[in-house]
């Protein structure tokens, strides 16, 4: 799979679960993912091998052995996260086994790692493991390329462990990003898109060069992890596409797009009791294939947000405007906003309950551009809205609040 993806320029980042092994009550047997024998009770994992010596039970100071108090950094990092057996990552033997696993993946050709549950490990232990990693495989990457590292650190500002503790190791997940953007797009708590003018560090987020940002992820799209009710997901496609469009147009952070599957949501007292469900599957438990529809979206209950025209085209927009400054901000004091990226791209949003009709300085060269949200450039014509930029860089934008997608985006590669 990694070879096939690398050959077409798609890089793979592995979700590295290195803080812990299985749950303390997982029993014994060969029902591990790869079929190797383990015994959770005796902490025996002969396939690695790990034994009782390789876990943090002796260091944990909570009564239950689990994390009971998130304001105690020693508990958060030395005790069991939801009863998962906590590896003793200060031991060089354990670090070496983890690095061996990650280096095997580098040999296969992966481009980097998401470090799961990083806040539950000491930053120095994570660094010691990363220091043992090889450079990326030169079959696909230039010599001396380091793996791209981003660490899952849920820091909503209410606990002693901070995302900044981990900046020395790589980027960190900025969970405040999706929570705040969802609140703004939903217009909750008096928030308006006009307030996004200083989006990024001005909103109390980590520095842009340390931030891994996303509108939703696999956890918080189903109420797990962090973010709460404001998180936008594919279940609310109209505001979701606006939020993802804003994220991909804005220069802050390193962006990640979600790709999901549907599950049968069932709410009881405001909570989805099916939030644990896995991917679309047959009655024997095997996963259904991803089928591709005629319009290139996915079927079989695979959502594939990355294939939605609006999101796919905004990924292209981001690549076209890469390195260009945030420019030409405009807002109406409410929920109509626009901004450019230097002389390469421009985007306009109407999240008000009335039409937008305004002439704006785009910063773009004169010409006719195809809106990449309502359609796209196809040969020498547009499949939907055309935007005419005058010699002085000004263009008129008309966006009804009734539009399927109440935003317009143009860039220099979508110019006729």
């Amino acid at each position: 799979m990694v070879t096939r993806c690398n050959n077409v320029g798609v890089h793979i980042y592995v979700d590295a679960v290195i803080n812990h092994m299985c749950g303390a009550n997982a029993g014994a047997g060969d029902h591990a993912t790869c079929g190797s024998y383990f015994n959770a009770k005796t902490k025996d994992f002969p396939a690695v091998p790990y034994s009782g010596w390789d876990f943090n039970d002796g260091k944990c100071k909570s009564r239950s052995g689990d994390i009971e108090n998130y304001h105690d950094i020693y508990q958060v990092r030395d005790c069991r996260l939801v009863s998962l057996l906590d590896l003793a990552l200060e031991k060089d033997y354990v670090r070496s086994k983890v690095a061996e696993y990650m280096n095997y993946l580098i040999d296969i050709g992966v481009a980097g790692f998401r470090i799961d549950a990083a806040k539950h490990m000491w930053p120095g232990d994570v660094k010691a493991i990363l220091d043992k990693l090889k450079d990326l495989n030169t079959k696909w990457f230039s010599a001396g390329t380091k793996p791209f590292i981003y660490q899952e650190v849920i820091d909503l500002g209410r606990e002693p462990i901070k995302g900044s503790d981990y900046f020395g190791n790589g980027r960190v997940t900025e969970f405040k990003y999706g929570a705040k953007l969802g609140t703004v797009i939903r217009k909750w708590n008096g928030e308006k898109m006009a307030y996004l003018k200083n989006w990024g560090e001005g909103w109390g987020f980590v520095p842009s060069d340390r931030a891994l940002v996303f509108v939703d992820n696999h956890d918080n799209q189903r109420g797990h992890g962090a973010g709460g009710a404001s998180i936008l997901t594919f279940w609310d496609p109209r505001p979701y596409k606006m939020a993802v469009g804003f994220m991909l147009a804005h220069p802050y952070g390193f962006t990640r797009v979600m790709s999901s599957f549907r599950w049968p949501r069932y709410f009881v007292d405001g909570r989805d009791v099916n939030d644990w469900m896995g991917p679309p599957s047959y009655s024997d438990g095997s996963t259904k294939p991803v089928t591709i529809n005629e319009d290139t979206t996915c079927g079989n209950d695979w959502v594939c947000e990355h294939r939605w025209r609006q999101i796919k085209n905004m990924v292209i927009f981001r690549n076209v405007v890469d390195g260009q400054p945030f420019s030409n901000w405009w807002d109406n004091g409410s929920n109509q906003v626009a901004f450019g990226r230097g002389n390469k791209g421009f985007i306009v949003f109407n999240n008000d309950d009335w039409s937008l009709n305004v002439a704006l300085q785009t910063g773009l060269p004169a010409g006719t551009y195809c809106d990449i949200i309502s359609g796209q450039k196809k040969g020498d014509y547009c499949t939907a809205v055309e935007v005419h930029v005058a010699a002085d860089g000004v263009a008129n934008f008309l966006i009804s609040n009734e539009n399927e997608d109440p935003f317009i985006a143009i860039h220099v590669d979508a110019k006729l």
Side-chain angles (χ1 to χ4, degrees):
M1 179 195 87
V2 177
T3 297
R4 186 179 173 194
C5 288
N6 277 334
N7 285 342
V8 293
V10 175
H11 294 163
I12 301 296
Y13 302 88
V14 172
D15 188 0
V17 181
I18 60 175
N19 170 67
H20 50 259
M21 296 299 278
C22 63
N25 303 312
D30 57 6
H31 54 287
T33 309
C34 299
S36 51
Y37 172 82
F38 70 97
N39 185 326
K41 192 173 178 136
T42 61
K43 305 184 191 68
D44 185 27
F45 298 88
V48 180
Y50 286 143
S51 70
W53 298 103
D54 300 317
F55 294 88
N56 268 335
D57 293 19
K59 278 180 85 177
C60 173
K61 300 290 189 282
S62 76
R63 184 168 293 188
S64 65
D66 289 357
I67 301 165
E68 296 169 1
N69 176 12
Y70 271 82
H71 289 276
D72 178 341
I73 64 170
Y74 296 94
Q75 272 194 36
V76 175
R77 289 169 172 159
D78 293 338
C79 297
R80 296 173 181 173
L81 168 65
V82 293
S83 90
L84 296 158
L85 295 172
D86 201 65
L87 284 165
L89 293 172
E90 81 279 4
K91 290 183 64 174
D92 192 62
Y93 171 74
V94 177
R95 291 172 177 175
S96 296
K97 296 310 286 186
V98 170
E100 187 183 304
Y101 154 69
M102 294 171 78
N103 278 326
Y104 168 72
L105 294 166
I106 288 172
D107 288 342
I108 287 172
V110 306
F113 301 91
R114 170 194 182 267
I115 308 293
D116 180 70
K119 80 189 266 186
H120 299 286
M121 299 179 269
W122 293 93
D125 291 346
V126 176
K127 182 182 189 306
I129 291 164
L130 297 178
D131 284 347
K132 293 177 184 285
L133 299 188
K134 304 175 178 181
D135 293 343
L136 297 183
N137 189 326
T138 52
K139 184 174 178 185
W140 293 290
F141 304 94
S142 51
T145 305
K146 302 285 181 211
F148 179 78
I149 302 295
Y150 60 103
Q151 304 156 96
E152 184 201 18
V153 182
I154 299 176
D155 171 14
L156 297 177
R158 297 189 286 268
E159 296 170 13
I161 293 178
K162 302 288 174 218
S164 55
D165 300 349
Y166 294 85
F167 288 172
N169 297 330
R171 289 186 182 256
V172 296
T173 49
E174 180 49 280
F175 277 87
K176 294 193 284 286
Y177 188 101
K180 295 281 192 193
L181 189 56
T183 304
V184 172
I185 300 285
R186 291 179 188 275
K187 301 187 267 196
W188 287 359
N189 307 336
E191 293 285 8
K192 300 172 181 176
M193 288 191 79
Y195 301 159
L196 295 172
K197 185 175 183 178
N198 67 336
W199 184 244
E201 292 95 342
W203 281 61
F205 301 160
V206 301
S208 182
D209 68 347
R210 294 292 91 187
L212 188 286
V213 300
F214 43 94
V215 173
D216 64 328
N217 80 344
H218 63 286
D219 278 327
N220 65 16
Q221 72 166 198
R222 50 182 70 210
H224 302 171
S230 70
I231 296 297
L232 286 165
T233 72
F234 70 87
W235 296 107
D236 302 299
R238 192 172 187 259
Y240 183 71
K241 284 179 281 185
M242 290 179 75
V244 176
F246 184 90
M247 174 182 79
L248 290 169
H250 197 281
Y252 174 82
F254 194 96
T255 53
R256 181 178 61 189
V257 170
M258 185 62 193
S259 190
S260 312
F261 53 80
R262 277 182 196 81
W263 69 95
R265 291 198 298 180
Y266 185 61
F267 287 95
V268 177
D269 297 328
R271 187 181 158 261
D272 178 11
V273 296
N274 285 344
D275 64 358
W276 56 273
M277 284 193 160
S281 54
Y282 295 112
S283 53
D284 66 355
S286 60
T287 302
K288 288 183 178 178
V290 181
T291 53
I292 305 299
N293 301 324
E294 221 167 282
D295 66 356
T296 76
T297 60
C298 296
N300 254 358
D301 276 334
W302 296 95
V303 181
C304 300
E305 296 94 321
H306 67 288
R307 281 179 167 264
W308 294 3
R309 182 192 69 245
Q310 301 86 340
I311 292 176
K312 179 181 70 177
N313 285 347
M314 282 308 302
V315 170
I316 295 168
F317 179 105
R318 187 169 191 81
N319 289 331
V320 169
V321 305
D322 185 41
Q324 292 286 313
F326 177 75
S327 55
N328 291 307
W329 174 270
W330 169 86
D331 67 72
N332 70 339
S334 184
N335 289 291
Q336 298 179 356
V337 304
F339 62 89
R341 295 294 303 278
N343 60 0
K344 294 283 180 73
F346 194 76
I347 193 163
V348 188
F349 294 88
N350 179 13
N351 199 29
D352 274 326
D353 299 326
W354 57 88
S355 273
L356 174 150
N357 186 355
V358 65
L360 297 172
Q361 174 55 249
T362 66
L364 299 185
T368 299
Y369 293 79
C370 299
D371 170 33
I372 60 165
I373 304 304
S374 59
Q376 56 210 1
K377 181 181 170 185
K378 201 170 186 181
D380 54 2
Y381 73 97
C382 296
T383 62
V385 173
E386 292 184 0
V387 176
H388 303 282
V389 175
D392 60 357
V394 172
N396 199 75
F397 294 91
L398 183 62
I399 304 176
S400 166
N401 54 306
E402 304 288 328
N403 283 6
E404 179 196 351
D405 296 303
F407 64 111
I408 287 175
I410 55 176
H411 60 73
V412 289
D413 284 2
K415 184 171 183 257
L416 291 182

